[in-house]
Amino acid sequence: MSNIIALASQYELLEITSSYLSALDLLNLASTCSELYAQIRKRETIFERLKRVTVCDGRGLKARQEFQRFYSIPPEDWIKESATYDEEVEARVWNLKCDAVNALPCIKCNVNICEECRYVPRVREGYNELSRRRPHRDSGAFCREIRCYCKGCDAQVESSLPLRLSDFCDCDQYTRWICIKCKEEEQTLDTLYLQKKTKGEWEYPSDGVSDEGIWIVSHQDALAFWCPCGVRAPSDGNIRCAWCSRRHRGTADTYMRDEDDSVPFFDNDPCCPKEAWQYIAGMYPPLAYSDIGPIAP
């Protein structure tokens, strides 16, 4: 143990050692004793710098290969002890091993993750509609991944945003670099917001009530939105992305139709099924074949 403590006391050697560890391994190392904690975790800037040289831990790929977490069949799609459909089948042949060294930091937690371990939909149109390209473009016109704020909070959110070329949301799920843990937390927050800060017409009637707040159509109903602080969001307020907090183009009636909703990642791949309804009905469209086998980019 004394040799490890002596090694950690020299930053250059500690940085080299970190390049062979995952972020979780580095965290566990810092938790073994107070001396190592002082060298690694006491100053957050040092820990963040060390995290940037760590390797990917392979957890995202393992979850996908074993159909766990986001890649598993949701509980509501089980009847008694049997699922109502099969696990999703990836049409492409992906790397079977984690590319631990070639990793980039997660946009939320800065933990390094590789291409195979980052969260990105690997199949077209699952039952949870998770394969949409843009966060707010839902094929069933449900409200997803959006936030509405009161005037005061909206101004604070706008002023806190980092400088970018566009003032509007340009999030694309297929180029976004996020680990599966942060994605799950993000999804949980969105679900809680819709449960706690929205009300449908059946529970918050506007007929005969003076209500100047914003209403947004969600599938076949309309939802009234509140700011996270508890104040009713104004009818002329901005609709913001839950991922980047930037504004969406358009109004409550048009924001979901502001652009093309195609997904080139799948639509340009001849080996991917093109119609979601065929998958839901249990019919797998034939893959595109040539004389030598399946066509793949």
Side-chain angles (χ1 to χ4, degrees):
M1 179 63 75
S2 60
N3 292 334
I4 297 178
I5 295 174
L7 182 147
S9 65
Q10 302 180 55
Y11 180 78
E12 293 80 6
L13 295 178
L14 179 60
E15 187 174 23
I16 294 173
T17 303
S18 299
S19 66
Y20 292 91
L21 304 175
S22 69
L24 183 60
D25 292 333
L26 184 63
L27 181 64
N28 290 334
L29 178 63
S31 302
T32 54
C33 66
S34 58
E35 289 86 353
L36 288 175
Y37 182 89
Q39 296 293 337
I40 300 173
R41 288 297 310 279
K42 191 171 184 179
R43 295 178 60 183
E44 194 64 26
T45 54
I46 291 181
F47 183 62
E48 289 296 322
R49 195 178 306 164
L50 292 174
K51 277 202 307 184
R52 291 300 180 98
V53 300
T54 56
V55 298
C56 179
D57 61 10
R59 290 173 179 264
L61 177 60
K62 185 175 184 294
R64 197 171 90 241
Q65 290 175 333
E66 297 180 359
F67 300 106
Q68 297 175 353
R69 304 170 80 165
F70 258 108
Y71 305 104
S72 63
I73 296 178
E76 59 269 20
D77 290 326
W78 286 77
I79 297 178
K80 293 184 178 180
E81 297 181 356
S82 301
T84 57
Y85 57 95
D86 293 333
E87 298 282 8
E88 296 172 334
V89 177
E90 297 179 14
R92 286 173 178 262
V93 177
W94 302 92
N95 293 330
L96 299 179
K97 293 183 179 180
C98 166
D99 191 4
V101 178
N102 296 319
L104 295 172
C106 168
I107 60 173
K108 293 287 187 179
C109 65
N110 289 328
V111 170
N112 283 345
I113 49 174
C114 70
E115 167 64 32
E116 296 304 319
C117 290
R118 74 178 177 115
Y119 175 75
V120 62
R122 307 285 171 163
V123 295
R124 181 72 151 122
E125 291 299 334
Y127 275 73
N128 286 334
E129 304 288 351
L130 293 176
S131 66
R132 59 189 184 278
R133 178 182 175 188
R134 301 279 278 122
H136 63 298
R137 292 301 302 266
D138 183 79
S139 59
F142 287 97
C143 289
R144 298 183 191 273
E145 310 292 355
I146 61 173
R147 297 288 187 274
C148 295
Y149 296 90
C150 64
K151 293 290 186 180
C153 292
D154 190 79
Q156 291 179 9
V157 171
E158 185 69 27
S159 63
S160 66
L161 294 175
L163 182 63
R164 291 179 65 177
L165 294 177
S166 175
D167 292 332
F168 297 98
C169 167
D170 58 358
C171 293
D172 187 329
Q173 185 162 220
Y174 294 91
T175 59
R176 197 167 182 247
W177 211 268
I178 186 170
C179 68
I180 191 170
K181 178 178 179 294
C182 289
K183 180 62 181 178
E184 288 174 337
E185 293 175 354
E186 196 175 65
Q187 189 76 10
T188 300
L189 287 176
D190 185 62
T191 301
L192 289 175
Y193 175 78
L194 292 175
Q195 289 177 349
K196 304 292 185 181
K197 300 300 180 181
T198 65
K199 290 184 179 180
E201 291 179 311
W202 62 91
E203 56 182 338
Y204 186 72
S206 60
D207 295 340
V209 179
S210 177
D211 183 9
E212 301 298 329
I214 190 170
W215 288 85
I216 301 178
V217 174
S218 180
H219 193 48
Q220 297 178 346
D221 301 301
L223 295 178
F225 278 75
W226 275 259
C227 175
C229 72
V231 177
R232 184 82 161 89
S235 58
D236 59 346
N238 293 315
I239 300 174
R240 294 188 176 272
C241 173
W243 294 357
C244 67
S245 296
R246 296 188 179 276
R247 290 175 287 159
H248 284 306
R249 300 178 187 272
T251 65
D253 297 325
T254 63
Y255 84 98
M256 202 178 288
R257 302 191 300 271
D258 63 346
E259 60 198 48
D260 179 30
D261 61 352
S262 63
V263 185
F265 186 83
F266 293 118
D267 297 339
N268 296 339
D269 186 349
C271 286
C272 283
K274 296 299 185 289
E275 300 293 338
W277 65 267
Q278 290 179 318
Y279 172 66
I280 293 173
M283 299 164 56
Y284 291 88
L287 302 180
Y289 278 87
S290 66
D291 295 336
I292 58 175
I295 300 172

